[in-house]
DNA sequence: AGGGTCACG
DNA sequence: ACGTACGTGACCCTA
């Protein structure tokens, strides 16, 4: 085999730094069994794989810096001065990066008094002469000075696996100068991170202009006469010496006294046994698993990376499904909002053939409609809800979903909630499909490719990936004992949600517009008063401008600061109340303006012209706890607490005349769940007796012997304690919430745990269990991983501990209402009711129904909700109805 | 794009 | 001593 001469040179320090900071938020999640951080090692490995795959080098060297002092510090003492110390979490990783390299069979080299750059420059130059193509990988743009026709510099961008390749042409295009002029540019401009100054007041723009005119620093100074007298010229003259020195510092050596040559860096491939041991030591389990499986599949590896497909043709009837074989299906729409997004294509895999098309009309005519609508034909897909709603718009009712890759992934790890197909596949170590962002772009650049081969390939790879990943993910689901959660809750729920979303809820737009014009007037009045009180006009919506007015101009006391300035949040303004009339007006302005912009104008913007309804989308695969979220519009945060905001609910109306809005909500579901999972006898007794739970808590923690002795204030405080318990209480948080001292809060909590010892036990146990297992679970085995519970960082660890206490509570409540929703939909269908389930707001279900069905709902809905599960305490459901959502209270 | 603020459970 | 309540999404402003 005659390999081409290709040299890969890697700037080890620079890539390690980039990798480390790219994964910095995940620092605590990448820790091996010895407590070693592994972020930089992990990132380095990913970069290596990617670049080796791309370059296919015959020779590789990784160069490192040898120490702090180099010949450059001898020239200029401040060189690279003022840099903060390398974090210990990174420096501890360097020896292991070298171990990784050795397992990869890759040489590394460092040279006292020289930087990695100089080793790279010297070897690159030598290799070039010997006819090699050279690729240099670094995070440092300065190295682009080395680019030639034979030398390409790959600079890592955001993260380390994404790179930008610099050729001489690309350098010129990007900087407007030739590669060899980069050192002149650095000489003139200086480099803040390497800490050398260049010429005073000369920035990139000036430098480029000068270099385009004169070519080099030397030439500038030889032809100074040609520059007209100016400040800039004075600076040039004054800093001449510095300019030459800086150029020298920037210049990468091509003749460093290295003791290795090109023949020493020949690459003979990975040393598998060493690498396996290394991965085991690092706890890189997925890499290990991948190595094993790739070994098994080495023979058909080539075929695996290639996906072939057939474009469905209008008059071709060769298209036949074999329904005894699995069927994977993917429907592509342009954009997130599948209620109105344009259909752009589909793909399907069946019986080892992949079919693709841009024309979704085919779905209606071919065998496919029948297959999709047949309960007994099991379909594998990605995002069943999206597909269901999309197909429904085409008049097809999707029935038999088997494997929903998005949903299963989410259940396996609710914190890795990536809704992008390609990225999600990657998380499962499947790299044979690109992310949508890569293929379609994002933001303004989002576009479905016109090129058939790009687009069809992407679609084909998706259905292929679904099939490839199905076994692996379903197996994990089983190992986690989450099959019931998937088959009986989440998968059926996705269709229930799809129906609710597609049904939508009617909005009385006229009502909203009336409210809007009233609010507008009110806002104008308030704005004027505020401006008079401030003595000048300013933007009240700008926290920055408001801060200046309140705390500088009016000299009100600063209560709290934010990262960027003064805090003007409600809590702060409330403390300032009474000190100036402007405060009340600002609070009112904020309140009204929120209603106006978010709820009046915001909702009007998303009403569908076709049916006068809003169609939210529930995100089923997002929250870490298992709750749903609602977007576009968010119908889970429609105002209710304050009367002014609550009026918005008057605009939510039934679709038909003589129908009503009907609403049922669980009363204190989270505390009941806590009473159940903690088995606390005292708390359970209160629920079984049907007591007012907050008053009961007050009685207990204040040591009262009768419910009548509980004052309003005691109940309020006890309620806050109950909330605090659910959230994973801290004395500080409680104190802040109800305005008592930390000491008092601490006593409350202590007292609470004395009277509810079961709860205390639960809190201790769950944190210990989380530490042991690395995750916590809900009633139905929904899982949340909490790696940070072992963190040495107090904040991260405390947060994980509170989460460990809260997630089983919040998550189990989410499980319960999901079960209720599925049973509810079933009941509506079985009883042939016209009533429709419209919304879910965490512990509340909202319906619309003909007047005559209301009595039935009043009986059935609470029954289905409180019988969704059987706990050690009863569940309680309260219902209401009226002609609008506002009236259903 | 990210922070501040505020709407909900 | 550390510095916090748990879970979300939308709007506005300002880099």
């Amino acid at each position: 085999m005659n390999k081409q001469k290709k040299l890969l040179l890697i700037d080890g320090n620079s890539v390690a730094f980039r990798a480390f900071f790219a994964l910095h938020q995940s620092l605590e999640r990448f820790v091996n069994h010895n407590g070693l951080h592994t972020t930089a090692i992990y990132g380095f490995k990913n970069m290596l794989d990617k670049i080796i795959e791309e370059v296919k080098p015959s020779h590789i060297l990784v160069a490192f810096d040898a120490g702090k002092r180099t010949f450059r510090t001898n020239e200029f003492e401040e060189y690279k001065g003022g840099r903060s110390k390398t974090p210990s979490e990174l420096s501890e990783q360097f020896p292991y990066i070298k171990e990784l390299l050795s397992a990869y069979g890759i040489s590394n080299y460092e040279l006292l008094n020289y930087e990695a750059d100089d080793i790279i420059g010297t070897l690159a130059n030598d290799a070039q002469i010997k006819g090699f193509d050279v690729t240099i990988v670094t995070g440092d743009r300065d190295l682009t000075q080395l680019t030639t026709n034979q030398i390409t510099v790959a600079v890592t961008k955001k993260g380390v696996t994404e790179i930008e390749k610099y050729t001489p042409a690309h350098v010129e295009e990007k900087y407007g100068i030739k590669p060899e002029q980069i050192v002149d540019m650095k000489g003139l401009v200086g480099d803040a991170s390497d800490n050398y100054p260049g010429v005073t007041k000369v920035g990139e723009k000036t430098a480029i202009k000068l270099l385009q005119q004169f070519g080099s620093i030397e030439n500038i100074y030889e032809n100074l006469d040609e520059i007209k007298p100016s400040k800039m010229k004075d600076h040039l003259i004054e800093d001449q010496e510095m300019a030459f020195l800086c150029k020298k510092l920037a210049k990468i050596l091509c003749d460093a006294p290295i003791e290795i040559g090109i023949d020493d860096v020949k690459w003979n491939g990975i040393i598998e046994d060493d690498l396996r041991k290394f991965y085991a030591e690092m706890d890189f389990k997925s890499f290990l698993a991948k190595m094993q499986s790739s070994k098994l599949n080495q023979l058909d590896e080539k075929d695996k990376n290639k996906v072939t497909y057939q474009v469905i043709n209008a008059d071709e009837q060769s298209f036949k499904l074999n329904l005894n074989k699995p069927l994977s299906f993917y429907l592509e729409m342009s954009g997130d909002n599948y209620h109105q997004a344009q259909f752009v294509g589909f793909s399907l895999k069946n019986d080892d053939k992949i079919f693709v098309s841009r024309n979704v009309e085919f779905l209606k005519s071919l065998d496919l409609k029948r297959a999709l609508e047949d309960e007994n034909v099991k379909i594998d897909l990605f995002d069943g809800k999206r597909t269901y709603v999309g197909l429904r718009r085409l008049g097809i009712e999707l029935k038999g979903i088997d494997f929903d890759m998005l949903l299963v992934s989410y259940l396996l790890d609710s914190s890795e909630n990536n809704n992008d197909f390609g990225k999600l596949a990657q998380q499962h170590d499947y790299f044979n499909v690109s992310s949508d962002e890569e293929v379609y772009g994002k933001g303004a650049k989002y576009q479905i490719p016109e090129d058939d081969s790009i687009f069809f390939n992407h679609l084909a790879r998706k259905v292929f990936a679904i099939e490839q990943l199905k076994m692996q993910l379903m197996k994990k689901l089983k190992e986690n004992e989450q099959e019931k959660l998937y088959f009986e809750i989440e998968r059926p729920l996705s269709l229930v949600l799809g129906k609710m979303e597609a049904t939508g809820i009617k909005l009385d737009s006229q009502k909203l517009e009336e409210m809007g014009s009233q609010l507008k007037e009110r806002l104008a009045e308030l704005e004027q008063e505020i401006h008079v009180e401030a003595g000048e006009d300013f933007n009240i919506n700008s926290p920055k401008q408001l801060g200046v007015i309140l705390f500088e101009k009016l000299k009100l006391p600063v209560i709290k600061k934010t990262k960027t300035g003064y805090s003007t949040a409600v809590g702060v303004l409330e403390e300032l109340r009474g000190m100036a009339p402007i405060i009340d007006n600002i609070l009112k302005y904020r309140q009204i303006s929120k209603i106006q912009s978010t709820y009046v104008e915001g909702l009007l913007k998303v009403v569908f012209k076709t049916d006068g309804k809003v169609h939210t989308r529930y995100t089923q695969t997002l929250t870490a706890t298992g709750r749903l979220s609602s977007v576009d519009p968010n119908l889970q945060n429609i105002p209710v607490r304050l009367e002014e905001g609550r009026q918005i609910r008057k605009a939510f109306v039934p679709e038909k005349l003589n129908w009503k809005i009907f609403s049922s909500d669980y009363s204190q579901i989270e505390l009941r769940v806590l009473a159940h999972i903690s088995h606390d006898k005292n708390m359970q007794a209160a629920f079984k007796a049907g007591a007012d739970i907050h008053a009961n808590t007050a009685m207990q923690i204040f040591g009262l012997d009768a419910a009548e002795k509980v004052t309003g204030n005691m109940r309020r405080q006890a309620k806050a304690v109950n909330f605090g318990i659910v959230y994973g209480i801290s004395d500080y948080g409680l104190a802040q919430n109800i305005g008592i001292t930390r000491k008092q809060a601490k006593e409350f909590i202590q007292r609470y745990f004395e009277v509810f010892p079961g709860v205390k036990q639960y809190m201790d146990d769950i944190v210990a269990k989380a530490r042991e297992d690395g995750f916590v679970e809900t009633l139905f085995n929904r899982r949340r991983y909490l790696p940070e519970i072992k963190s040495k960082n107090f904040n991260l660890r405390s947060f994980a501990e509170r989460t460990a206490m809260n997630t089983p509570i919040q998550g189990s409540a989410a499980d319960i209402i999901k079960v209720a929703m599925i049973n509810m939909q079933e009941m509506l269908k079985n009883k042939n009711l016209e009533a429709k389930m419209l919304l879910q707001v965490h512990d509340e279900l909202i319906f619309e129904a003909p007047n005559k069905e209301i009595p039935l709902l009043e009986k059935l809905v609470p029954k289905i909700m409180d019988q969704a599960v059987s706990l050690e305490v009863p569940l309680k459901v309260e219902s209401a109805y009226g002609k609008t959502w506002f009236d259903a209270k």
Side-chain angles (χ1 to χ4, degrees), chain A residues 556-699:
Chain A
L556 293 166
V558 176
I559 312 264
K560 208 171 107 189
K561 289 201 142 195
T562 65
K563 275 184 203 164
T564 49
Y566 312 108
S567 169
T568 65
V570 176
V572 171
L573 295 186
E574 260 160 10
E575 285 194 51
L576 297 172
R577 232 181 190 150
M579 300 176 79
I582 194 173
I583 300 293
D584 274 324
N585 280 332
I586 290 167
L587 284 166
K588 201 76 206 169
Y589 180 92
R590 281 251 179 96
Q591 192 199 339
I592 307 283
S593 127
K594 176 83 179 178
I595 297 170
Q596 173 77 327
S597 68
T598 304
Y599 298 104
V600 175
E601 288 168 359
L603 281 172
L604 283 171
K605 257 187 262 175
V606 292
V607 174
F608 277 48
K609 293 218 167 62
T610 46
D611 58 10
K613 293 174 169 184
V614 285
H615 298 265
T616 186
R617 289 175 345 261
Y618 289 102
T619 330
Q620 198 184 349
T621 56
L622 183 141
T623 70
T625 54
R627 274 191 177 183
L628 302 174
S629 88
S630 156
V631 294
D632 200 12
N634 180 355
L635 295 182
Q636 292 182 318
N637 71 347
I638 301 302
V640 66
R641 290 170 192 168
L642 299 174
E643 194 50 39
E644 286 101 324
R646 195 172 196 158
Q647 299 294 318
I648 292 291
R649 295 183 172 222
K650 288 186 172 163
F652 288 82
V653 296
E655 186 184 1
K656 294 175 189 149
L657 222 67
N658 298 319
W659 281 43
K660 294 239 166 16
I661 298 288
F662 181 92
S663 157
S664 290
D665 67 289
Y666 284 110
S667 157
Q668 272 114 29
I669 187 166
E670 293 193 343
L671 284 172
R672 285 170 201 266
V673 166
L674 174 61
H676 171 80
I677 56 184
S678 69
H679 311 295
D680 187 285
K681 290 289 170 265
N682 191 4
M683 197 178 199
Q684 291 192 351
F687 280 122
K688 283 177 183 159
D692 171 341
I693 191 68
H694 299 313
N696 181 275
T697 303
M699 231 169 85

Side-chain angles (χ1 to χ4, degrees), chain A residues 150-170:
Chain A
Q150 274 170 261
I151 302 176
T152 306
V153 178
V155 179
T156 59
K157 291 166 56 168
K158 291 188 232 163
V160 279
T161 49
E162 226 177 287
I163 54 169
E164 183 172 7
K165 284 191 173 170
Y166 286 82
T167 57
H170 188 53

Side-chain angles (χ1 to χ4, degrees), chain A residues 808-823:
Chain A
I809 303 172
Q810 191 183 115
S812 298
D815 294 347
I816 293 169
I817 195 167
K818 284 177 172 179
V819 172
M821 290 168 77
I822 294 161
N823 296 345

Side-chain angles (χ1 to χ4, degrees), chain A residues 770-782:
Chain A
R771 207 168 288 140
E772 174 145 343
D773 298 342
F775 61 85
V776 290
E777 284 173 317
T778 66
L779 273 183
F780 290 89
N781 293 357
R782 187 186 303 284

Side-chain angles (χ1 to χ4, degrees), chain A residues 829-845:
Chain A
K829 193 177 143 201
N830 291 343
K831 294 220 182 291
N832 261 322
L833 293 181
E834 283 187 82
K836 292 191 177 83
M837 184 156 55
L838 302 180
L839 305 175
Q840 187 251 43
V841 191
H842 309 305
D843 61 0
E844 177 183 11
L845 295 176

